[in-house]
Each structure stands twice: as C-alpha cells, then as structure tokens.
Amino acid sequence: MADPAYQSHPVRVRVPATSANLGPGFDALGLALDLCDEIEAAVAPAGVQVTVEGAGAGEVPLDEDHLLVRAMHAAFDHLGGRPPGLTVRCRNRIPHARGLGSSSAAIVAGILLARALAVEAASDADFDVAAVLRLASSMEGHPDNVAPCLLGGFTIAWTSEDGAHAVRLEPAPGLRPAVFVPSRRGLTEEARGLLPERVPHADAAANAGRSALLVHALTSDPSLLLTATEDRLHQDYRAPAMEPSIALVRRLRAAGVPAVISGAGPSVLALPRPGEELTGFASAGFDMRELAVSRDGAAVVPPHGESR
Ligand code: HSE
C-alpha cells in the first residue's frame, strides 16, 4: 500500500474506563464505565509531542514511547505508513494502574486516532472494528478491557488462533456501577504472578456456572448479581497484593451488595440495587465514584466538541 494521505485537521476521541473479569469471568467479561479520557491528535511536520493533563501527568513519557503513540504507530504501520510527526493532547480521567483499563483505553484511543487521521482508512475493509479489537488486544495482552472500551456496554471476549474476538450485550437498564479507587497502585503482572498453575476442578466448574449466570444477571435480572459475581479462580489468590480491597469486597458482599475486584485490581467494583446507598462503605484510602455504564464505548468526536 502507498503511504496514506492524512487529514489536515486534528481529530479527537473519547475512550471509557472499563472493569474486567466482573468476578467469575476471568479474562473474558468486561463492562464499560462512563469515565472517559479525551485525546486530540494532529499530524505535524516532524517529531512527536505529547501533552498530558490529569491522570498520568508528570509520569508518562511525552514522546514516541507513550503507549498511545505506540498504538498510533502500530495502526499507521497497518495502514501502510507513518506521518512525519504528531502532536497529541491527552485529557485523562481514568486513574492509572488501578484495574480500570487505562492502558486499554490508551491503546484503543491511539488506534482510532490513527484510523481517523488516515484519509483512506475509513474505506479500508481490513481495518474494521474487529481488526481494531485484534490489534489492540495483541498490544494489551488480553481482550477483556479492550472489548468493552471499544464496543461499550457489557462484553464477552475470547481469543482464538486468529486473535481476539468479542460480542457486545446490552446491560440491564438501571445498572449503576460504583468504583472504589484506592490511592495505592497495582501491577497487573504482579497480580497475575500470584495465580496458581492449577485450580481445583470444583472451583473451575463453579466459575463456569457463575459466569453463565452473570450474563443473564447483567442483561436481564440484576437481582441475581450477588450470586452471579462469586469468584473462586483469582480474587482470593490475589489477596496478598491488595488486602484492603479484598476486605472491602467482603464487607460489601456481606451486606448484600454485589462487589468484585475490578480487573487485576486494586479498585473495587460494586453493582448496587437502584437507590442503594454506598456512602457507609467509604473507607480510608479509597475514593468512591458512582458512574453510569458507557453504552457506546470509544467514539471519534468533533474537535473542541462538548466534553463530559
Ligand atoms: N483479566 C486480567 C486479570 C486483567 O485479571 O489479570 C485485565 O486484562
């Protein structure tokens, strides 16, 4: 393919936070949350210049090593060539390293920005949403945050020999997720390193059944969420890396509130009944935020458009 032509104007995307696993659906299930990063990018004559406001400011690289720029470059390579330079402005709201999908959001944003900047990309049948999901998941390592970030709503993702796939389901109306975000960060590699090589068959069977029930509970009958979010495959094994979060999950569940570790942690996701008050669970070291489900997922939005 010849070098693509590029838009002369900036493009902007909005990408949501996500919560993966949702208890039993390890590496498969995910929910998009209406807490969004907004990123604007434009082609420049030379060099890569990144500015960051909000989460990650002062911590992430401001050049081609930035994860979002790496994703842009991967997408431009897929399209046949990179522009001479880029300017990228990130307005970040998704907390970093808390199990809320900030790296998936950066990767999805980068790919969508590159696709929007390349004039011919819209007609490139090889770079549809399924291809974006595959490329983003191959960069991230797992599709369970990438899928809800890209598609919105509630997603079931899986990986086959040809890469990642996902289906999107509509979450039940009235679902009001809340996240408890700890001040302490977590590392996905560390949390994965705590998982055993083998698990008892009875635990695997319990999780398979609960995951199936969770699909029904999240889409049709949230009254089943407390049972449907039971997990025996990862959360307790990870307790040594996130004791306060596990203690909060137990406290919420003991009070009848469906609660799980969000992704690889250490944030906690709660799915209370409509109108149920969670302020009594506010704990030292956690910032509680009530959020809507992001039903649309990642979107290219007009530059200087309304932000939320
Ligand atoms: N499912 C992953 C884990 C996190 O729990 O390690 C997100 O990819």
Side-chain angles (χ1 to χ4, degrees):
M1 196 192 295
D3 266 6
Y6 303 104
Q7 306 289 357
S8 54
H9 56 80
V11 295
R12 183 189 277 210
V13 295
R14 182 183 292 134
V15 283
T18 48
S19 186
N21 299 334
L22 308 178
F26 184 72
D27 276 359
L29 303 185
L31 187 67
L33 304 170
D34 197 9
L35 175 69
C36 294
D37 288 350
E38 281 185 12
I39 302 100
E40 191 167 285
V43 168
V48 172
Q49 204 176 25
V50 182
T51 54
V52 177
E53 260 178 62
E59 298 170 0
V60 295
L62 299 176
D63 54 18
E64 59 275 355
D65 289 334
H66 192 292
L67 181 57
L68 186 142
V69 177
R70 285 195 274 134
M72 289 186 83
H73 281 160
F76 282 129
D77 291 345
H78 178 96
L79 289 163
R82 299 181 185 185
L86 290 168
T87 53
V88 179
R89 288 175 46 210
C90 307
R91 197 163 151 218
N92 293 343
R93 299 190 183 91
I94 308 171
H96 285 194
R98 303 299 200 289
L100 291 169
S102 63
S103 53
S104 289
I107 292 168
V108 168
I111 296 172
L112 293 185
L113 285 165
R115 215 175 54 152
L117 281 171
V119 169
E120 300 289 332
S123 59
D124 186 339
D126 291 337
F127 211 16
D128 58 5
V129 172
V132 173
L133 177 78
R134 280 196 302 277
L135 177 58
S137 301
S138 72
M139 290 190 71
E140 172 65 10
H142 322 102
D144 52 346
N145 286 107
V146 168
C149 180
L150 187 60
L151 304 177
F154 167 47
T155 53
I156 308 173
W158 69 99
T159 305
S160 299
E161 275 174 16
D162 61 348
H165 300 263
V167 290
R168 179 198 181 281
L169 299 175
E170 191 60 40
L175 209 62
R176 297 293 301 181
V179 288
F180 293 80
V181 184
S183 45
R184 196 179 153 275
R185 291 160 177 254
L187 286 175
T188 299
E189 307 81 70
E190 187 191 337
R192 289 185 88 84
L194 291 167
L195 300 178
E197 281 286 312
R198 293 167 191 277
V199 294
H201 191 276
D203 290 350
N207 266 53
R210 293 301 192 276
S211 293
L213 181 63
L214 183 52
V215 173
H216 175 68
L218 266 178
T219 54
S220 305
D221 188 357
S223 72
L224 291 167
L225 279 171
L226 186 62
T227 305
T229 49
E230 284 171 356
D231 161 67
R232 285 160 59 172
L233 288 189
H234 64 103
Q235 294 184 163
D236 285 349
Y237 293 113
R238 290 171 157 175
M242 52 191 91
E243 289 289 0
S245 304
I246 294 284
L248 178 57
V249 167
R250 289 188 182 139
R251 216 151 60 80
L252 284 155
R253 297 188 67 86
V257 180
V260 296
I261 297 294
S262 182
S267 292
V268 171
L269 173 77
L271 297 167
R273 283 180 293 274
E276 190 168 12
E277 234 345 293
L278 292 184
T279 42
F281 294 97
S283 306
F286 288 91
D287 173 23
M288 193 199 51
R289 301 183 198 186
E290 292 176 284
L291 301 168
V293 172
S294 166
R295 290 181 188 265
D296 297 332
V300 177
V301 293
H304 314 299
E306 277 297 294
S307 47
R308 57 182 167 159

